[in-house]
Amino acid sequence: MGKVKIGIMAPACRLPQAIADQATALAAAQFPDAELHFHPQCFLSSGHFAGDDAARTAAFLDIANDGSFDALWFARGGYGAGRIGGAVIAKLAPTAKRKTYLGYSDTGFLLAGLYKAGCTVAHGPMVHDLKRENGEIPAKRALDFLVNRAKATLEPSVPDGAPAAAFNMIILSMMMGTALEPDLADHVLMLEEVSEHLYAIDRVLFHLTSIPAIRKVAGIRFGRCSDIPENDYPFGQSVEEITRHWCAVSGIPYLGTADIGHDIENKVVPFGRWT
């Protein structure tokens, strides 16, 4: 078996060169079967973005449509993936469906569109997670998944056979009704969030659980909501209580927690049925 060739591009914000160097060193030392290729676009800067929309679209397609790559590992999130989602999905070649795509947060726009197009995608750590304290932990988890398909990298409920999908809740809310919206009927839907007030989490769950397509999911698991800002006065419900409330109102089964979130413990959730 040859090396696993992993292409890396930044669909939203720029990746610092130092983080790329750290990832390259980590792979060389601990994953000799991984061959990392950072697209030059990762290091571009155009206002908020890692290059303008055209540059980010071209970089994505350079890797996705190149049959020599086994995987596309997203460099980081931020904001910007949704701006290129329609353009890249429209130009996917057949070879794009023969690789794995891994990321989370803002890259959920692309994961959704790719899944809808029949590609293999997973919610999981990105290169930029190396910037976190103990960031080698999620980076190694991502590489172990991409190189070895290691079961130990998965969110614990994934291997039970039910089809699954995972998203940052606001990203999912924003894409519903667009061309990127995937069919999540009968899926276990896992949701996580970061840096949002509890009232905002409540508002988004009201919206999501009111959507007829979301009411077709097999159930909801809620991941971690981190860095929740202090409200003027206490909201009065925890994240789990909010989730249970809207599941009860909508009739969607509440299935408990999920081991995902914007942190180093973020486990991998392959979309669909794990085999």
Side-chain angles (χ1 to χ4, degrees), residues 51-94:
D52 61 20
D53 292 353
R56 301 195 320 283
T57 297
F60 179 95
L61 293 171
D62 283 347
I63 298 171
N65 290 343
D66 185 338
S68 72
F69 285 102
D70 301 293
L72 194 162
W73 188 18
F74 292 116
R76 64 174 298 181
Y79 171 69
R83 290 174 62 107
I84 67 171
V88 301
I89 300 303
K91 296 179 180 179
L92 291 177

mmCIF file of all heavy atoms in Angstrom, residues 51-94:
data_model
loop_
_atom_site.group_PDB
_atom_site.id
_atom_site.type_symbol
_atom_site.label_atom_id
_atom_site.label_comp_id
_atom_site.label_asym_id
_atom_site.label_seq_id
_atom_site.Cartn_x
_atom_site.Cartn_y
_atom_site.Cartn_z
ATOM 1 N N GLY A 51 -7.365 34.479 0.217
ATOM 2 C CA GLY A 51 -7.534 34.687 -1.206
ATOM 3 C C GLY A 51 -8.989 35.005 -1.519
ATOM 4 O O GLY A 51 -9.890 34.731 -0.712
ATOM 5 N N ASP A 52 -9.233 35.595 -2.672
ATOM 6 C CA ASP A 52 -10.607 35.940 -3.037
ATOM 7 C C ASP A 52 -11.402 34.676 -3.366
ATOM 8 O O ASP A 52 -10.868 33.561 -3.368
ATOM 9 C CB ASP A 52 -10.637 36.956 -4.179
ATOM 10 C CG ASP A 52 -9.983 36.458 -5.461
ATOM 11 O OD1 ASP A 52 -9.834 35.227 -5.641
ATOM 12 O OD2 ASP A 52 -9.621 37.310 -6.303
ATOM 13 N N ASP A 53 -12.687 34.841 -3.640
ATOM 14 C CA ASP A 53 -13.541 33.680 -3.889
ATOM 15 C C ASP A 53 -13.021 32.830 -5.046
ATOM 16 O O ASP A 53 -13.058 31.593 -4.988
ATOM 17 C CB ASP A 53 -14.973 34.124 -4.195
ATOM 18 C CG ASP A 53 -15.676 34.733 -2.993
ATOM 19 O OD1 ASP A 53 -15.115 34.704 -1.881
ATOM 20 O OD2 ASP A 53 -16.807 35.245 -3.173
ATOM 21 N N ALA A 54 -12.554 33.475 -6.108
ATOM 22 C CA ALA A 54 -12.057 32.735 -7.269
ATOM 23 C C ALA A 54 -10.833 31.905 -6.916
ATOM 24 O O ALA A 54 -10.706 30.747 -7.356
ATOM 25 C CB ALA A 54 -11.730 33.704 -8.411
ATOM 26 N N ALA A 55 -9.938 32.465 -6.118
ATOM 27 C CA ALA A 55 -8.724 31.740 -5.729
ATOM 28 C C ALA A 55 -9.063 30.546 -4.846
ATOM 29 O O ALA A 55 -8.476 29.459 -4.991
ATOM 30 C CB ALA A 55 -7.766 32.681 -5.001
ATOM 31 N N ARG A 56 -10.001 30.733 -3.917
ATOM 32 C CA ARG A 56 -10.375 29.633 -3.023
ATOM 33 C C ARG A 56 -11.122 28.539 -3.782
ATOM 34 O O ARG A 56 -10.923 27.350 -3.539
ATOM 35 C CB ARG A 56 -11.189 30.157 -1.836
ATOM 36 C CG ARG A 56 -10.424 31.191 -1.023
ATOM 37 C CD ARG A 56 -10.996 31.491 0.343
ATOM 38 N NE ARG A 56 -12.435 31.581 0.440
ATOM 39 C CZ ARG A 56 -13.175 32.611 0.054
ATOM 40 N NH1 ARG A 56 -12.578 33.688 -0.512
ATOM 41 N NH2 ARG A 56 -14.488 32.620 0.203
ATOM 42 N N THR A 57 -11.959 28.949 -4.727
ATOM 43 C CA THR A 57 -12.661 27.969 -5.560
ATOM 44 C C THR A 57 -11.671 27.151 -6.381
ATOM 45 O O THR A 57 -11.758 25.913 -6.440
ATOM 46 C CB THR A 57 -13.650 28.684 -6.501
ATOM 47 O OG1 THR A 57 -14.639 29.354 -5.719
ATOM 48 C CG2 THR A 57 -14.329 27.702 -7.432
ATOM 49 N N ALA A 58 -10.729 27.821 -6.999
ATOM 50 C CA ALA A 58 -9.742 27.128 -7.833
ATOM 51 C C ALA A 58 -8.895 26.172 -7.006
ATOM 52 O O ALA A 58 -8.608 25.046 -7.444
ATOM 53 C CB ALA A 58 -8.850 28.151 -8.538
ATOM 54 N N ALA A 59 -8.505 26.582 -5.811
ATOM 55 C CA ALA A 59 -7.681 25.719 -4.960
ATOM 56 C C ALA A 59 -8.443 24.464 -4.561
ATOM 57 O O ALA A 59 -7.893 23.350 -4.571
ATOM 58 C CB ALA A 59 -7.234 26.488 -3.723
ATOM 59 N N PHE A 60 -9.707 24.645 -4.200
ATOM 60 C CA PHE A 60 -10.523 23.477 -3.847
ATOM 61 C C PHE A 60 -10.578 22.498 -5.013
ATOM 62 O O PHE A 60 -10.354 21.290 -4.846
ATOM 63 C CB PHE A 60 -11.932 23.919 -3.459
ATOM 64 C CG PHE A 60 -12.840 22.777 -3.097
ATOM 65 C CD1 PHE A 60 -13.017 22.398 -1.780
ATOM 66 C CD2 PHE A 60 -13.502 22.062 -4.090
ATOM 67 C CE1 PHE A 60 -13.834 21.331 -1.454
ATOM 68 C CE2 PHE A 60 -14.319 20.995 -3.770
ATOM 69 C CZ PHE A 60 -14.494 20.627 -2.444
ATOM 70 N N LEU A 61 -10.879 23.003 -6.194
ATOM 71 C CA LEU A 61 -11.025 22.126 -7.357
ATOM 72 C C LEU A 61 -9.696 21.513 -7.785
ATOM 73 O O LEU A 61 -9.666 20.388 -8.298
ATOM 74 C CB LEU A 61 -11.666 22.898 -8.507
ATOM 75 C CG LEU A 61 -13.123 23.322 -8.259
ATOM 76 C CD1 LEU A 61 -13.595 24.264 -9.353
ATOM 77 C CD2 LEU A 61 -14.036 22.110 -8.144
ATOM 78 N N ASP A 62 -8.595 22.224 -7.568
ATOM 79 C CA ASP A 62 -7.274 21.659 -7.868
ATOM 80 C C ASP A 62 -7.068 20.344 -7.135
ATOM 81 O O ASP A 62 -6.490 19.387 -7.674
ATOM 82 C CB ASP A 62 -6.166 22.635 -7.458
ATOM 83 C CG ASP A 62 -5.989 23.795 -8.426
ATOM 84 O OD1 ASP A 62 -6.542 23.736 -9.540
ATOM 85 O OD2 ASP A 62 -5.302 24.766 -8.047
ATOM 86 N N ILE A 63 -7.510 20.287 -5.890
ATOM 87 C CA ILE A 63 -7.332 19.076 -5.079
ATOM 88 C C ILE A 63 -8.478 18.095 -5.313
ATOM 89 O O ILE A 63 -8.262 16.904 -5.550
ATOM 90 C CB ILE A 63 -7.225 19.436 -3.583
ATOM 91 C CG1 ILE A 63 -5.996 20.314 -3.342
ATOM 92 C CG2 ILE A 63 -7.161 18.171 -2.728
ATOM 93 C CD1 ILE A 63 -5.916 20.898 -1.934
ATOM 94 N N ALA A 64 -9.718 18.595 -5.244
ATOM 95 C CA ALA A 64 -10.872 17.706 -5.347
ATOM 96 C C ALA A 64 -10.892 16.944 -6.670
ATOM 97 O O ALA A 64 -11.220 15.749 -6.708
ATOM 98 C CB ALA A 64 -12.160 18.503 -5.176
ATOM 99 N N ASN A 65 -10.549 17.601 -7.758
ATOM 100 C CA ASN A 65 -10.643 16.979 -9.080
ATOM 101 C C ASN A 65 -9.363 16.291 -9.529
ATOM 102 O O ASN A 65 -9.309 15.752 -10.641
ATOM 103 C CB ASN A 65 -11.064 18.023 -10.118
ATOM 104 C CG ASN A 65 -12.504 18.469 -9.935
ATOM 105 O OD1 ASN A 65 -13.288 17.810 -9.254
ATOM 106 N ND2 ASN A 65 -12.860 19.595 -10.532
ATOM 107 N N ASP A 66 -8.349 16.297 -8.677
ATOM 108 C CA ASP A 66 -7.076 15.627 -8.973
ATOM 109 C C ASP A 66 -7.142 14.203 -8.422
ATOM 110 O O ASP A 66 -7.171 13.988 -7.215
ATOM 111 C CB ASP A 66 -5.929 16.402 -8.329
ATOM 112 C CG ASP A 66 -4.557 15.840 -8.682
ATOM 113 O OD1 ASP A 66 -4.458 14.653 -9.059
ATOM 114 O OD2 ASP A 66 -3.559 16.580 -8.535
ATOM 115 N N GLY A 67 -7.156 13.237 -9.320
ATOM 116 C CA GLY A 67 -7.286 11.843 -8.913
ATOM 117 C C GLY A 67 -6.126 11.301 -8.108
ATOM 118 O O GLY A 67 -6.237 10.218 -7.521
ATOM 119 N N SER A 68 -5.018 12.015 -8.032
ATOM 120 C CA SER A 68 -3.869 11.515 -7.264
ATOM 121 C C SER A 68 -4.035 11.733 -5.767
ATOM 122 O O SER A 68 -3.308 11.128 -4.968
ATOM 123 C CB SER A 68 -2.579 12.185 -7.740
ATOM 124 O OG SER A 68 -2.518 13.549 -7.336
ATOM 125 N N PHE A 69 -4.986 12.601 -5.363
ATOM 126 C CA PHE A 69 -5.210 12.849 -3.944
ATOM 127 C C PHE A 69 -6.234 11.866 -3.385
ATOM 128 O O PHE A 69 -7.256 11.580 -4.013
ATOM 129 C CB PHE A 69 -5.703 14.282 -3.712
ATOM 130 C CG PHE A 69 -4.637 15.324 -3.848
ATOM 131 C CD1 PHE A 69 -4.540 16.088 -5.004
ATOM 132 C CD2 PHE A 69 -3.728 15.543 -2.823
ATOM 133 C CE1 PHE A 69 -3.557 17.054 -5.128
ATOM 134 C CE2 PHE A 69 -2.732 16.505 -2.947
ATOM 135 C CZ PHE A 69 -2.640 17.257 -4.109
ATOM 136 N N ASP A 70 -5.953 11.384 -2.185
ATOM 137 C CA ASP A 70 -6.865 10.469 -1.491
ATOM 138 C C ASP A 70 -7.820 11.208 -0.571
ATOM 139 O O ASP A 70 -8.867 10.662 -0.194
ATOM 140 C CB ASP A 70 -6.057 9.456 -0.662
ATOM 141 C CG ASP A 70 -5.119 8.634 -1.507
ATOM 142 O OD1 ASP A 70 -5.616 7.836 -2.318
ATOM 143 O OD2 ASP A 70 -3.883 8.798 -1.376
ATOM 144 N N ALA A 71 -7.444 12.403 -0.154
ATOM 145 C CA ALA A 71 -8.268 13.149 0.805
ATOM 146 C C ALA A 71 -8.031 14.640 0.649
ATOM 147 O O ALA A 71 -6.976 15.074 0.172
ATOM 148 C CB ALA A 71 -7.933 12.717 2.234
ATOM 149 N N LEU A 72 -9.044 15.408 1.056
ATOM 150 C CA LEU A 72 -8.913 16.853 1.176
ATOM 151 C C LEU A 72 -9.196 17.195 2.630
ATOM 152 O O LEU A 72 -10.307 16.970 3.118
ATOM 153 C CB LEU A 72 -9.875 17.586 0.239
ATOM 154 C CG LEU A 72 -9.616 19.086 0.028
ATOM 155 C CD1 LEU A 72 -10.329 19.588 -1.225
ATOM 156 C CD2 LEU A 72 -10.071 19.924 1.224
ATOM 157 N N TRP A 73 -8.183 17.701 3.307
ATOM 158 C CA TRP A 73 -8.289 18.070 4.721
ATOM 159 C C TRP A 73 -8.349 19.591 4.781
ATOM 160 O O TRP A 73 -7.422 20.271 4.333
ATOM 161 C CB TRP A 73 -7.058 17.548 5.462
ATOM 162 C CG TRP A 73 -7.090 17.675 6.955
ATOM 163 C CD1 TRP A 73 -8.172 17.883 7.755
ATOM 164 C CD2 TRP A 73 -5.959 17.569 7.833
ATOM 165 N NE1 TRP A 73 -7.807 17.915 9.073
ATOM 166 C CE2 TRP A 73 -6.455 17.726 9.153
ATOM 167 C CE3 TRP A 73 -4.598 17.358 7.641
ATOM 168 C CZ2 TRP A 73 -5.608 17.687 10.267
ATOM 169 C CZ3 TRP A 73 -3.755 17.312 8.743
ATOM 170 C CH2 TRP A 73 -4.270 17.472 10.052
ATOM 171 N N PHE A 74 -9.461 20.110 5.271
ATOM 172 C CA PHE A 74 -9.608 21.559 5.324
ATOM 173 C C PHE A 74 -8.665 22.170 6.358
ATOM 174 O O PHE A 74 -8.497 21.632 7.450
ATOM 175 C CB PHE A 74 -11.052 21.934 5.635
ATOM 176 C CG PHE A 74 -12.001 21.592 4.518
ATOM 177 C CD1 PHE A 74 -13.004 20.650 4.697
ATOM 178 C CD2 PHE A 74 -11.870 22.205 3.279
ATOM 179 C CE1 PHE A 74 -13.874 20.334 3.670
ATOM 180 C CE2 PHE A 74 -12.734 21.887 2.239
ATOM 181 C CZ PHE A 74 -13.739 20.951 2.434
ATOM 182 N N ALA A 75 -8.062 23.294 5.977
ATOM 183 C CA ALA A 75 -7.058 23.929 6.828
ATOM 184 C C ALA A 75 -7.674 24.548 8.075
ATOM 185 O O ALA A 75 -7.154 24.394 9.180
ATOM 186 C CB ALA A 75 -6.300 24.999 6.036
ATOM 187 N N ARG A 76 -8.791 25.265 7.896
ATOM 188 C CA ARG A 76 -9.434 25.930 9.030
ATOM 189 C C ARG A 76 -10.801 26.451 8.605
ATOM 190 O O ARG A 76 -11.141 26.449 7.425
ATOM 191 C CB ARG A 76 -8.572 27.073 9.562
ATOM 192 C CG ARG A 76 -8.350 28.224 8.582
ATOM 193 C CD ARG A 76 -7.618 29.392 9.206
ATOM 194 N NE ARG A 76 -8.375 29.993 10.308
ATOM 195 C CZ ARG A 76 -7.961 31.047 11.007
ATOM 196 N NH1 ARG A 76 -6.786 31.599 10.727
ATOM 197 N NH2 ARG A 76 -8.701 31.555 11.980
ATOM 198 N N GLY A 77 -11.552 26.911 9.596
ATOM 199 C CA GLY A 77 -12.851 27.504 9.317
ATOM 200 C C GLY A 77 -12.763 29.015 9.368
ATOM 201 O O GLY A 77 -11.873 29.622 8.791
ATOM 202 N N GLY A 78 -13.686 29.619 10.118
ATOM 203 C CA GLY A 78 -13.769 31.078 10.186
ATOM 204 C C GLY A 78 -15.052 31.511 9.504
ATOM 205 O O GLY A 78 -16.136 31.310 10.019
ATOM 206 N N TYR A 79 -14.937 32.061 8.319
ATOM 207 C CA TYR A 79 -16.092 32.371 7.487
ATOM 208 C C TYR A 79 -15.637 32.479 6.044
ATOM 209 O O TYR A 79 -14.628 33.122 5.758
ATOM 210 C CB TYR A 79 -16.777 33.685 7.889
ATOM 211 C CG TYR A 79 -17.827 34.086 6.878
ATOM 212 C CD1 TYR A 79 -18.998 33.343 6.746
ATOM 213 C CD2 TYR A 79 -17.610 35.138 5.987
ATOM 214 C CE1 TYR A 79 -19.934 33.651 5.773
ATOM 215 C CE2 TYR A 79 -18.547 35.458 5.019
ATOM 216 C CZ TYR A 79 -19.706 34.707 4.911
ATOM 217 O OH TYR A 79 -20.623 35.006 3.943
ATOM 218 N N GLY A 80 -16.377 31.860 5.148
ATOM 219 C CA GLY A 80 -16.061 31.978 3.736
ATOM 220 C C GLY A 80 -16.422 30.775 2.894
ATOM 221 O O GLY A 80 -16.570 30.885 1.677
ATOM 222 N N ALA A 81 -16.585 29.589 3.520
ATOM 223 C CA ALA A 81 -16.860 28.380 2.745
ATOM 224 C C ALA A 81 -18.177 28.479 1.989
ATOM 225 O O ALA A 81 -18.298 28.008 0.851
ATOM 226 C CB ALA A 81 -16.858 27.159 3.662
ATOM 227 N N GLY A 82 -19.185 29.090 2.612
ATOM 228 C CA GLY A 82 -20.472 29.209 1.951
ATOM 229 C C GLY A 82 -20.421 30.032 0.682
ATOM 230 O O GLY A 82 -21.212 29.826 -0.246
ATOM 231 N N ARG A 83 -19.477 30.976 0.607
ATOM 232 C CA ARG A 83 -19.366 31.847 -0.571
ATOM 233 C C ARG A 83 -18.912 31.081 -1.810
ATOM 234 O O ARG A 83 -19.158 31.515 -2.940
ATOM 235 C CB ARG A 83 -18.396 32.994 -0.287
ATOM 236 C CG ARG A 83 -18.916 34.013 0.716
ATOM 237 C CD ARG A 83 -17.825 35.038 1.053
ATOM 238 N NE ARG A 83 -17.415 35.795 -0.108
ATOM 239 C CZ ARG A 83 -17.723 37.079 -0.340
ATOM 240 N NH1 ARG A 83 -18.484 37.746 0.523
ATOM 241 N NH2 ARG A 83 -17.286 37.701 -1.415
ATOM 242 N N ILE A 84 -18.224 29.957 -1.617
ATOM 243 C CA ILE A 84 -17.719 29.196 -2.767
ATOM 244 C C ILE A 84 -18.432 27.865 -2.945
ATOM 245 O O ILE A 84 -18.156 27.135 -3.905
ATOM 246 C CB ILE A 84 -16.198 28.961 -2.653
ATOM 247 C CG1 ILE A 84 -15.853 28.021 -1.482
ATOM 248 C CG2 ILE A 84 -15.453 30.289 -2.507
ATOM 249 C CD1 ILE A 84 -14.385 27.586 -1.460
ATOM 250 N N GLY A 85 -19.353 27.528 -2.035
ATOM 251 C CA GLY A 85 -19.973 26.214 -2.062
ATOM 252 C C GLY A 85 -20.645 25.870 -3.380
ATOM 253 O O GLY A 85 -20.396 24.803 -3.964
ATOM 254 N N GLY A 86 -21.510 26.752 -3.870
ATOM 255 C CA GLY A 86 -22.210 26.469 -5.115
ATOM 256 C C GLY A 86 -21.272 26.308 -6.294
ATOM 257 O O GLY A 86 -21.459 25.418 -7.140
ATOM 258 N N ALA A 87 -20.239 27.149 -6.356
ATOM 259 C CA ALA A 87 -19.301 27.114 -7.483
ATOM 260 C C ALA A 87 -18.508 25.817 -7.512
ATOM 261 O O ALA A 87 -18.297 25.233 -8.585
ATOM 262 C CB ALA A 87 -18.350 28.308 -7.407
ATOM 263 N N VAL A 88 -18.055 25.342 -6.353
ATOM 264 C CA VAL A 88 -17.227 24.132 -6.369
ATOM 265 C C VAL A 88 -18.063 22.883 -6.610
ATOM 266 O O VAL A 88 -17.630 21.970 -7.331
ATOM 267 C CB VAL A 88 -16.389 23.997 -5.077
ATOM 268 C CG1 VAL A 88 -15.487 25.193 -4.894
ATOM 269 C CG2 VAL A 88 -17.257 23.766 -3.848
ATOM 270 N N ILE A 89 -19.264 22.826 -6.044
ATOM 271 C CA ILE A 89 -20.099 21.645 -6.252
ATOM 272 C C ILE A 89 -20.472 21.506 -7.724
ATOM 273 O O ILE A 89 -20.515 20.400 -8.272
ATOM 274 C CB ILE A 89 -21.373 21.712 -5.375
ATOM 275 C CG1 ILE A 89 -21.007 21.786 -3.887
ATOM 276 C CG2 ILE A 89 -22.269 20.511 -5.644
ATOM 277 C CD1 ILE A 89 -20.145 20.648 -3.373
ATOM 278 N N ALA A 90 -20.710 22.619 -8.385
ATOM 279 C CA ALA A 90 -21.097 22.588 -9.805
ATOM 280 C C ALA A 90 -19.977 22.088 -10.709
ATOM 281 O O ALA A 90 -20.243 21.625 -11.827
ATOM 282 C CB ALA A 90 -21.529 23.984 -10.252
ATOM 283 N N LYS A 91 -18.730 22.165 -10.237
ATOM 284 C CA LYS A 91 -17.596 21.810 -11.093
ATOM 285 C C LYS A 91 -16.860 20.562 -10.632
ATOM 286 O O LYS A 91 -15.735 20.310 -11.058
ATOM 287 C CB LYS A 91 -16.623 22.996 -11.163
ATOM 288 C CG LYS A 91 -17.233 24.227 -11.829
ATOM 289 C CD LYS A 91 -16.258 25.388 -11.867
ATOM 290 C CE LYS A 91 -16.884 26.615 -12.526
ATOM 291 N NZ LYS A 91 -15.957 27.771 -12.547
ATOM 292 N N LEU A 92 -17.481 19.752 -9.792
ATOM 293 C CA LEU A 92 -16.836 18.525 -9.334
ATOM 294 C C LEU A 92 -16.701 17.527 -10.482
ATOM 295 O O LEU A 92 -17.667 17.264 -11.213
ATOM 296 C CB LEU A 92 -17.639 17.884 -8.203
ATOM 297 C CG LEU A 92 -17.678 18.601 -6.859
ATOM 298 C CD1 LEU A 92 -18.573 17.842 -5.896
ATOM 299 C CD2 LEU A 92 -16.280 18.771 -6.275
ATOM 300 N N ALA A 93 -15.525 16.950 -10.605
ATOM 301 C CA ALA A 93 -15.297 15.885 -11.575
ATOM 302 C C ALA A 93 -15.583 14.535 -10.913
ATOM 303 O O ALA A 93 -15.653 14.441 -9.682
ATOM 304 C CB ALA A 93 -13.844 15.934 -12.060
ATOM 305 N N PRO A 94 -15.754 13.457 -11.685
ATOM 306 C CA PRO A 94 -15.986 12.140 -11.082
ATOM 307 C C PRO A 94 -14.910 11.739 -10.073
ATOM 308 O O PRO A 94 -15.205 11.067 -9.079
ATOM 309 C CB PRO A 94 -15.993 11.204 -12.296
ATOM 310 C CG PRO A 94 -16.485 12.069 -13.418
ATOM 311 C CD PRO A 94 -15.873 13.421 -13.158
#
